[in-house]
Amino acid sequence: MTQTSDNVTWLTQEAYDQLKAELEHLSGPARTEIAMKIAAAREEGDLRENGGYHAAKEEQGKQELRVRQLTQLLEAAKVGEAPAATGVVAPGMVVTIAFDGDPDDTLDFLLASREYASSDIETYSPQSPLGTGVNGKKIGEDAEYELPNGKKAKVRILEAKPYKA
């Protein structure tokens, strides 16, 4: 679970451990593996036309970006419990909304950062238009957010409960 507030990211112990393990893997074994791929590709000759070399360098760049992202996230992280069931929408909660107040046109989603996206439930970032619109609203309240085409959409908060992995 994540709750972001003034650059602090709240994580459960399980989420913190998972992200820390990913960082350790990317900083250690994965870094060595990519260096070996680059060295092997370099030995193949002319680097200007060496597809394997360029692919390995691109993979290295993506991996190093992820290392920086994880490092920043974990440095700002506070380990704690998931938000309490207060009836107020907050990051780390599963939210049920009704579009235009229609109780038959609903959506359940997890309000959390992309690190917690799962195949079990759709995930929206608190910084997304929908996330920004519903964050802090109470059950029964209406929220409004901007669609990609610039129009506004209205939803009603039907439920907000802590996410259980």
Side-chain angles (χ1 to χ4, degrees), residues 43 76 137:
E43 290 175 10
K137 298 288 185 185

Side-chain angles (χ1 to χ4, degrees):
M1 273 19 86
T2 303
Q3 187 169 351
T4 305
S5 156
D6 299 318
N7 292 332
V8 172
T9 302
W10 291 95
L11 300 171
T12 62
Q13 186 65 53
E14 177 186 10
Y16 180 86
D17 293 344
Q18 178 184 359
L19 293 173
K20 190 156 177 55
E22 180 184 353
L23 177 61
E24 287 170 3
H25 172 74
L26 291 175
S27 299
R31 212 175 244 165
T32 303
E33 183 181 311
I34 195 72
M36 289 174 21
K37 281 183 188 177
I38 291 170
R42 189 177 278 140
E43 290 175 10
E44 293 174 10
D46 187 359
L47 297 181
R48 290 175 296 183
E49 297 179 14
N50 187 328
Y53 174 79
H54 293 290
K57 289 296 282 183
E58 185 175 326
E59 183 180 341
Q60 180 186 41
K62 289 178 182 176
Q63 186 173 304
E64 291 303 318
L65 175 61
R66 182 66 177 153
V67 166
R68 284 192 303 276
Q69 288 172 333
L70 287 171
T71 300
Q72 289 173 350
L73 178 71
L74 292 172
E75 284 175 356
K78 299 274 188 220
V79 179
E81 291 301 310
T86 60
V88 177
V89 176
M93 301 194 94
V94 175
V95 182
T96 303
I97 57 172
F99 293 95
D100 291 321
D102 180 354
D104 296 327
D105 188 9
T106 64
L107 171 69
D108 293 335
F109 64 92
L110 172 63
L111 186 63
S113 68
R114 68 183 178 89
E115 274 78 19
Y116 303 96
S118 108
S119 58
D120 298 342
I121 187 165
E122 201 164 343
T123 304
Y124 285 88
S125 162
Q127 289 79 31
S128 69
L130 177 59
T132 302
V134 301
N135 197 6
K137 298 288 185 185
K138 295 178 183 165
I139 294 173
E141 286 186 338
D142 290 332
E144 190 174 83
Y145 66 101
E146 190 171 321
L147 298 169
N149 65 9
K151 293 184 178 180
K152 300 280 185 185
K154 275 191 178 176
V155 295
R156 173 160 287 156
I157 312 300
L158 300 179
E159 191 170 9
K161 59 187 178 202
Y163 176 68
K164 304 265 193 271

